[in-house]
Amino acid sequence: MNDNPNGISEDMQALLKKPGLLGVRVDRQSLIKHFFNGCAGITIITLFLIMWSLLRESTGFLPTYRWELSVYRQAGLEYADFIEKPLSEHLALHSKLNRAFNAELNTISRESKLRRDAAFLIKQQIEEKTVLQREPLQEALDAGNTPPEKITALRKTLTEATAAALGSEPLPKLFNESEKKSLTADLLGLQPDVTDMPPFIKSLMDKFIEQDKAGKEKYAAFISALDAFEEASEPITELHDGMKEQVLEVKKAATQQHMAEDAKFKLLEAARAAKTAEKREGFEKDAAQTDINPIDYKTNIDSLITKLPEYESLIPAYKDAVSKAMEGIPQKADTHEARELIDQVRKSFPKHLAHVDESVDHMKAWQWDKPIPLFRALTAFLFGGDWITNSSWQDFYGVIPLFTGSLLIAITALLIALPFSVAAAIYTNQFASPREQEIIKPFIEFIQAIPSVVLGFIGISVLGDLIKETSNIPWLQWIPGFPVQERLNMFNAGLLLALMAIPTMFSLAEDALQNVPRAFSEASEALGATKLQTVFRVIFPASISGVFAAMLLGLGRIIGETMVVLLVAGNRIAIPDFSDGIGAVFQPAHTLTGIIAQELGEVSRGSAHWQALFMVGILLFFISLLINFLSRKVVKRFQLPKI
Amino acid sequence: MVTAAPYEPKKKQIVDHLAPTAVDKTFNSKATAGEEGMISVRDMDFNYGAKRALHHIQMEIPSKQVTAFIGPSGCGKSTLLRCFNRINDRIQGAHIASGQVIIKGKNIYDKDVDTTSLRRQVGMVFQKYNPFPKSIYENVVYGLRISGVKKKADLNDACEYALKSAALWDECKDRLKQNAFGLSGGQMQRLCIARAIAVKPDILLMDEPCSALDPIATLKVEELILQLKEQFTVVIVTHNMQQARRVADLTAFMYLGELIEFADTLTIFSNPQQLKTEEYIRGQFS
């Protein structure tokens, strides 16, 4: 201390920083600082690791998918699909007509069918209940040497048991009193050795057969039209099947070739990395043995194209046949359902005919060797309307059906959750007494504690049936989409997701209202405003930025939720049919999150399907990022200026 | 600076002096010569929960005059002011314990009084300017809108009248649609005054209207107050004795929830009757 190199007086030595360890100061203060710094750093590094792994797993997707699409084209699958399109339309039209026909037929035979089924059911129930008395009698009869008096006694016990069972089993209301009597007589006469149907039940059966026959006679024209419609496409279907077989062969060969190339590449890699010359030679030998013959796409395509004139020649006959069949469809259907279905078919029929003609144009314009650029794989992913996997024909990874599912569910959930949460927040913050606040807030926040799997249970077991039953109420039929066909649908999932989002949105909206300066409400009330006027004219507008942020964060939660949608949304991978307008929300759908959860466990690692699922993950990531970004913008835009 | 302790024994004495009649006499003789005021407070006690904030307040505030309340912090002058439009009702547990506040012949603490229409007749300006996050125009016509005025012409007239009365018209007639937060502090406070007078109240309450303003803005607001008293009865709470001297016709001195002295401003400042008043005015405590 005495020799002072810097010429600083001893008193001032304390001012100098103490030397650190490797340039880092290690006193307590800086250690604490570095600890917090490190924590923040680890969080950021983890985020980057997640992004990196997502990108790594999915980078291969675009080239792989492009390769698959190019095989789809070069092997001629695309060519065959041009015919597939009108064929599947034909199938859809036919099934609609079939449904219409069944609806019509039901008007005649429905009641007799119901009566017959009810009688059968009661007979079966009685037989089940008296099985203990029936079996000994059966055995006695089978034995052949049983004394007749014993058989009589057994018969008596059986009749008594039947009577007792009948007493406990109410007869269906479909029958009137005298019919009930004859039914009872029939049932009492049930004995194991009588194989003929009892007379009354027999009459019911005959009645149904008769009416069914009558119905089929009445609608004979309809039936023949229906059959003609179905048969019209047969030649084309045959041709198409032939083409399919042919191109699938080529595709199979191409896939095998691809795998062989892959194997050879790997062997060569191994050879390069091998340590001893011996091993290397071995690898190289193996590689040389892997024979790779370039696939002769050209010959296949040439033979495929020769089918076009045949297809073209089949078209006029097909069009004639279906048009004629359409004329045979009754103009006036008796039931509402049939009328609607037939109307739909009539409406889309001209379009269908046009599509048939178009398919020929598409086939003529088609070039098998037109290369597929890389961005085409991306657009096919982002805007593709089919998500088809594990198909024997061709896999497609188009994300639109999943995206629309996610979006519709999110919109439904948001539209339900927003009014509830904002209204609850306004009430709690502005009108509720402190005691009420103490009750409401924890209760709403408690919803968050319900595990989403449990909510899924509720959706399946309670909400689904509730929605379906409500949709059958006659005076609610004006609601689009009613009656609902599926218990598990987007609306159901939306309702549950709304419930999940309400606590988040409620808390944030409540905070936003709380943050409005008291001075505003004081000024408003001093001007003679009522509480309600103050809330709606001053406080709510002033808190709008916070409410927006609450909404967007709720949306983020809804989009990212997986378990509920997987259980409740119905998991049908298809773009919803918007012909019913807003009623489309009552259809089942699959979602971006649900598909990952459902399929990722089952695909082989590194396959195109696997990579596609990671791409879906990235898409979700970007959607969340966008929502976050938007909420920041919105909050800034509507923020109150500071005074 | 605080010399409250030595006065403790005397405080009792002051309370004794403060028999309602004594204050009445002071007031009546000096200010309105027996005429009933615009606001009359009759032996009022006011509580925050169990805590008594105002004791036996008795005063007559005359019409079309400026009345100032002065006194040390926490003496209850703001509480008294806030009794006049019942804005104190917002506070949990605040209530009048006894007595009456009579405005235009009606006890405003009667059960059948509608506070919203009371507040349309008794406007208020707050310590910290608090315009709404809306345009200047919407701020001024807010009071009219909530009372159901819809006609555009009426709203425009009221806006012009109020802004002119608040001496703000020339400064912002070209920017009525702009957000009020773009104004300066003094302008915002005058906007708040305009907002209060747009509904044409009878009485204008001002709770330390200049405490958040700079001296020049203060001067402008004070000039404005002097103009306003031609149309309104103004009651102002102020910390600033010079301000009371400059703008007020009458001044009330309050201490520890009691009205010590109420007389015309000149008397209060030149010849106070109560010892406490004199000491406060001399700056012996605050």
Side-chain angles (χ1 to χ4, degrees), chain B residues 54 57 70-72 75-77 80 252-256 258-260:
Chain B
L54 297 174
I57 304 293
I70 59 170
C75 71
K77 52 192 191 308
L80 179 58
F253 171 65
M254 295 183 69
Y255 184 66
L256 294 175
E258 286 162 9
L259 179 62
I260 307 295

Side-chain angles (χ1 to χ4, degrees), chain B residues 143-178:
Chain B
L144 293 151
R145 281 205 195 276
I146 57 174
S147 57
V149 179
K150 290 217 170 62
K151 264 170 80 180
K152 191 86 186 154
D154 291 350
L155 293 175
N156 288 345
D157 289 350
C159 177
E160 191 174 337
Y161 154 78
L163 286 174
K164 276 182 176 160
S165 304
L168 201 59
W169 178 251
D170 294 331
E171 288 158 69
C172 58
K173 65 181 173 201
D174 301 324
R175 44 194 280 207
L176 290 177
K177 299 289 171 204
Q178 288 177 21

Side-chain angles (χ1 to χ4, degrees), chain A residues 524-525 528 533 537 641 643, chain B residues 119-120 131 134 142 146 181:
Chain A
S524 171
E525 285 189 25
Q533 285 171 323
R537 286 173 184 260
I643 51 166
Chain B
R119 287 170 191 162
R120 273 167 210 167
K134 298 167 183 278
Y142 181 82
I146 57 174
F181 288 150

Side-chain angles (χ1 to χ4, degrees), chain A residues 9 64 88 122 151 201 227 308 317 357 405 475 488 505 598 610:
Chain A
S9 78
T64 320
S88 62
I122 192 93
I151 288 182
I201 296 179
D227 288 344
L308 179 58
D357 288 332
W475 53 269
L488 302 182
M505 290 165 74
Q598 193 181 23
W610 162 278

